[in-house]
Amino acid sequence: MSDAAETRPAPTVDSALVELIKVLQRLDRSDLVDRATAAAARLKRPSTVVCVVGEFKQGKSTLINALLGQHVCPVDDDLATSAITMVRFGDQPAATVRRTVDGRSEAVQIPIAALDEWVSEQGNPGNAKGVERVEIAVPSPLLKQGLVVVDTPGMGGLGAGHAAATLGFLPFADGLVFVSDASAELSAPEVDFLRRATELCPTVIFVQTKIDLYPQWQRIMDLNRSHLERSGVSIPMVNASAALRVEALARKDRTLNELSNIPSVVKHLSNDVVTPAKATATARSVDDAVAIIGQVSGGLATERAAAADPASAAAAMATMKSAKERIEHLRGPGSKWSTVVSDRIGDLSTTVNYNFRGAMRTISRSMDERIEVLTKGNEWDELSRYLQTVVAEQVTEVFIGLERGREEIRAEVVELLDEENLQLGDLTVLDTGVELDEMWRGKSLDAGGESGGKKVFQSTVTGIRGAQGGMYLFSTLGKYLPAAGGALLAANPITLGIGLVFGGIGLSDDRKKKVATRRQAARSQVRQFTDDVQFEIGNQIGSLVKDIQRSLRDEFGDRLTELLRTYTDTATRAQQDGQRSEAERKQRIAEIDASLKTLTAIGKFLAQVPR
């Protein structure tokens, strides 16, 4: 990207961003340095969330420990994970418990060694401590590339609230690892779960664990493959032994490590989950860099034109003054785009709340009808599963609807600002291939050719997964959905209530009065459950709507501030250039040309990066 470029290694996006940052530092554009630095960081460590899911005692936590190469998640025959646990990279080991006490959220720092007291069924039975989630940071090479591994509670026959809630936040995850040990073939509910999961999540991997304990593991794997094929599920299927991996690491035995087949799981995660996430992050980082280059190059080109022809400086100054006035107006609270954001945010909140309440009302009516025709005790368990599943789907629709609304509002604001023609006029002489107003354009991520559930979520969820501003994926997954959906659905009495009232009792053999009483009790519990969900999700909608409004305001406000500074700096330097001697102006023109040459080279390279 300079005269000596041919002697350097081939440029990469990372090296291009490093060089761009150096140019911005020389130009004293600290605001754009921060933006370019964020783009570089996103490139190195994109946020990539993988959920590990399965029934109780299938080896999920042990598999995670084996993948990370260290003991992180509590594992024991008597321990079962009871709280959502998120494991991310950190230079130093640390653990934070996020819980609700007396209606207030709090974060508690704990030693990693004490995790079983918070995330296991034995240490925290029935989630009596009100744990929403636990966040663990460990220095693992696997996580350093931006991977966040989510250890979920066992799904208890895929009928408990955790199963429904897991399906609910899968659209917000980049990958799913479904764990089932080699002791038995997949059950019908597990196969159904996997079928639905493939519609909601871009990458699903099946891992059969404990192959060191069961000699017939290959036969079980063949049966599982047949079950999935008959259901139309085509996903990578891997056998693995976490125990062999642990022993291999202890002995530093490469052969034993290969026998564990854990490297195959890591390879699938890298190729099928992390690599696509990096591609998305690269596209976003490149778009940011190209926008920065267009803005800075425009300002430099304007200054150069004024320095080369002092007679035209007055006209250039008048143009920039007019442009600055437009920017100042757009930054004010009375600007059209700001009003649009406020109005549309109000509409979004009303629409999402209305749709959610309507859906919950429909569910309640459907439940009343189902309760009236049930005659057997075991049917109540099926009813409970149905209720939690449909409620979880509606909770998911809330978050999908909010993100879809955010994107629509953002697109409308972009269109409004495009009409303002926020460019440096005709004085931008460089052919950078980028107009200045490109600085806030969002690049569409068109997957194309998707079908089924993926197509339904594609336009919105793809943006969520790669989003770096506004609602961060990690916040959406970790703060809102499991708290409002997962913990609520799993802990609410509906999980056990109907079973406790009706479990194992054939209603046709009971007296009619007792049947009527129990049906009324069931209806009461259903109403309590739906009321609790509506209350909690209603609060979350209000919180998220405020976050969306704030994110949009900050995003466009920051871009306008950057543009205003470009105009201001350009005008200031042009005025200074007009007071320089001819020799000083020539020197300044040479400095500008050097910067423009570097920026143009970086821009041309980035323009060729696939995205």
Side-chain angles (χ1 to χ4, degrees):
M1 299 174 190
S2 65
D3 293 337
E6 61 273 12
T7 64
R8 299 178 182 176
T12 62
V13 175
D14 186 51
S15 64
L17 288 174
V18 169
E19 193 154 358
L20 174 59
I21 291 171
K22 291 179 180 177
V23 174
L24 296 174
Q25 289 172 334
R26 290 197 296 269
L27 296 174
D28 196 27
R29 288 303 302 268
S30 58
D31 54 337
L32 295 178
V33 166
D34 291 342
R35 188 175 168 193
T37 301
R42 181 192 312 130
L43 186 70
K44 293 180 179 178
R45 192 177 297 173
S47 178
T48 311
V49 177
V50 174
C51 297
V52 181
V53 180
E55 295 279 15
F56 287 111
K57 302 300 181 183
Q58 298 298 299
K60 298 189 304 298
S61 299
T62 305
L63 176 64
I64 292 174
N65 291 341
L67 289 169
L68 301 181
Q70 52 189 298
H71 185 87
V72 177
C73 300
V75 292
D76 191 277
D77 290 340
D78 296 327
L79 294 180
T81 302
S82 64
I84 293 173
T85 305
M86 297 183 172
V87 189
R88 58 177 175 80
F89 178 80
D91 292 322
Q92 297 295 327
T96 302
V97 174
R98 301 197 180 275
R99 59 191 296 232
T100 300
V101 180
D102 296 329
R104 298 193 309 271
S105 296
E106 67 176 30
V108 182
Q109 302 294 322
I110 64 169
I112 290 183
L115 279 172
D116 62 323
E117 300 174 13
W118 297 87
V119 304
S120 72
E121 188 61 35
Q122 184 184 70
N124 182 23
N127 196 20
K129 297 179 181 179
V131 177
E132 293 180 353
R133 70 187 187 278
V134 176
E135 298 172 5
I136 304 173
V138 291
S140 165
L142 180 65
L143 302 177
K144 193 170 185 178
Q145 53 192 328
L147 193 64
V148 178
V149 178
V150 182
D151 187 11
T152 62
M155 294 184 293
L158 291 163
H162 290 301
T166 299
L167 286 171
F169 64 66
L170 280 185
F172 301 87
D174 297 280
L176 166 73
V177 175
F178 189 91
V179 179
S180 179
D181 69 29
S183 63
E185 59 193 280
L186 289 170
S187 65
E190 286 177 307
V191 172
D192 183 61
F193 177 91
L194 282 166
R195 179 185 58 78
R196 297 174 63 199
T198 57
E199 296 178 349
L200 300 173
C201 191
T203 301
V204 178
I205 302 169
F206 175 86
V207 179
Q208 181 171 273
T209 57
K210 303 182 183 180
I211 59 174
D212 54 297
L213 297 180
Y214 302 100
Q216 299 299 316
W217 61 265
Q218 187 60 61
R219 184 180 67 85
I220 298 297
M221 177 62 95
D222 292 340
L223 290 171
N224 288 337
R225 185 174 287 108
S226 298
H227 294 325
L228 294 179
E229 287 177 354
R230 282 194 298 271
S231 296
V233 177
S234 178
I235 58 176
M237 303 182 70
V238 184
N239 289 291
S241 169
L244 288 180
R245 164 80 161 188
V246 171
E247 189 65 24
L249 293 176
R251 297 183 182 183
K252 297 182 180 180
D253 189 326
R254 179 173 298 181
T255 301
L256 197 59
N257 187 50
E258 292 298 325
L259 287 174
S260 75
N261 214 30
I262 293 295
S264 294
V265 181
V266 173
K267 184 177 180 180
H268 277 293
L269 288 174
S270 177
N271 294 342
D272 301 336
V273 181
V274 176
T275 297
K278 283 185 176 180
T280 300
T282 297
R284 291 178 181 275
S285 295
V286 168
D287 288 341
D288 254 0
V290 169
I292 291 170
I293 290 170
Q295 182 179 159
V296 174
S297 296
L300 289 173
T302 300
E303 181 190 353
R304 188 192 189 288
D309 182 12
S312 68
M317 293 291 289
T319 299
M320 284 183 284
K321 180 180 178 181
S322 176
K324 286 173 61 179
E325 290 174 352
R326 293 203 310 274
I327 297 295
E328 286 287 9
H329 170 70
L330 289 171
R331 293 176 69 219
S335 61
K336 188 175 181 180
W337 75 267
S338 180
T339 302
V340 165
V341 169
S342 297
D343 291 346
R344 299 295 182 269
I345 283 292
D347 295 342
L348 176 62
S349 178
T350 300
T351 300
V352 171
N353 269 301
Y354 178 80
N355 290 341
F356 182 61
R357 289 197 302 269
M360 294 300 291
R361 178 181 297 176
T362 299
I363 290 171
S364 294
R365 289 173 177 172
S366 173
M367 288 295 296
D368 285 344
E369 294 173 359
R370 288 169 177 258
I371 287 172
E372 286 302 315
V373 299
L374 291 178
T375 59
K376 297 180 181 179
N378 58 4
E379 292 178 345
W380 293 103
D381 293 331
E382 293 297 327
L383 184 62
S384 175
R385 281 192 287 269
Y386 165 79
L387 175 59
Q388 292 171 87
T389 299
V390 294
V391 168
E393 289 172 351
Q394 292 306 318
V395 171
T396 303
E397 282 298 320
V398 166
F399 295 99
I400 293 291
L402 287 172
E403 181 61 19
R404 183 184 296 116
R406 186 185 76 88
E407 288 298 322
E408 291 173 354
I409 296 171
R410 186 181 185 280
E412 185 172 353
V413 174
V414 168
E415 186 175 348
L416 282 174
L417 292 176
D418 281 349
E419 295 174 358
E420 294 290 339
N421 192 29
L422 299 176
Q423 304 176 47
L424 289 179
D426 297 328
L427 296 178
T428 302
V429 297
L430 284 184
D431 181 18
T432 61
V434 181
E435 295 181 353
L436 198 57
D437 56 2
E438 282 284 325
M439 68 179 188
W440 51 56
R441 288 190 194 277
K443 304 298 181 180
S444 62
L445 300 174
D446 183 11
E450 296 289 354
S451 61
K454 286 186 181 180
K455 186 175 182 180
V456 174
F457 293 107
Q458 190 65 50
S459 61
T460 297
V461 176
T462 300
I464 296 174
R465 292 187 183 114
Q468 297 296 323
M471 272 195 313
Y472 291 90
L473 179 149
F474 190 82
S475 294
T476 303
L477 174 68
K479 181 178 180 182
Y480 296 108
L481 197 51
L488 181 64
L489 292 173
N492 193 282
I494 195 66
T495 304
L496 298 175
I498 290 180
L500 291 175
V501 175
F502 294 96
I505 299 177
L507 298 183
S508 59
D509 297 331
D510 208 5
R511 290 180 301 178
K512 291 183 179 180
K513 184 177 179 180
K514 201 169 186 179
V515 170
T517 300
R518 291 180 173 179
R519 281 180 172 160
Q520 182 57 38
R523 282 192 291 267
S524 176
Q525 289 196 18
V526 168
R527 283 194 295 272
Q528 180 64 51
F529 176 72
T530 55
D531 285 348
D532 287 350
V533 173
Q534 287 190 77
F535 177 78
E536 181 66 28
I537 298 303
N539 288 337
Q540 297 297 338
I541 290 173
S543 177
L544 273 174
V545 164
K546 290 179 182 178
D547 286 347
I548 291 171
Q549 184 172 13
R550 189 179 300 111
S551 73
L552 290 169
R553 181 195 64 202
D554 292 348
E555 177 187 2
F556 290 103
D558 288 348
R559 299 296 81 80
L560 289 168
T561 299
E562 291 170 357
L563 186 55
L564 179 63
R565 179 169 174 180
T566 297
Y567 281 122
T568 302
D569 289 358
T570 300
T572 300
R573 289 196 298 266
Q575 189 174 29
Q576 293 172 345
D577 292 342
Q579 299 172 356
R580 299 177 191 269
S581 65
E582 183 175 353
E584 290 173 331
R585 284 200 303 275
K586 287 183 178 179
Q587 181 179 352
R588 177 56 186 161
I589 289 172
E591 293 172 353
I592 293 174
D593 286 342
S595 295
L596 288 174
K597 182 179 179 181
T598 302
L599 289 171
T600 301
I602 297 173
K604 287 182 177 179
F605 167 74
L606 293 177
Q608 298 172 359
V609 176
R611 60 188 191 279

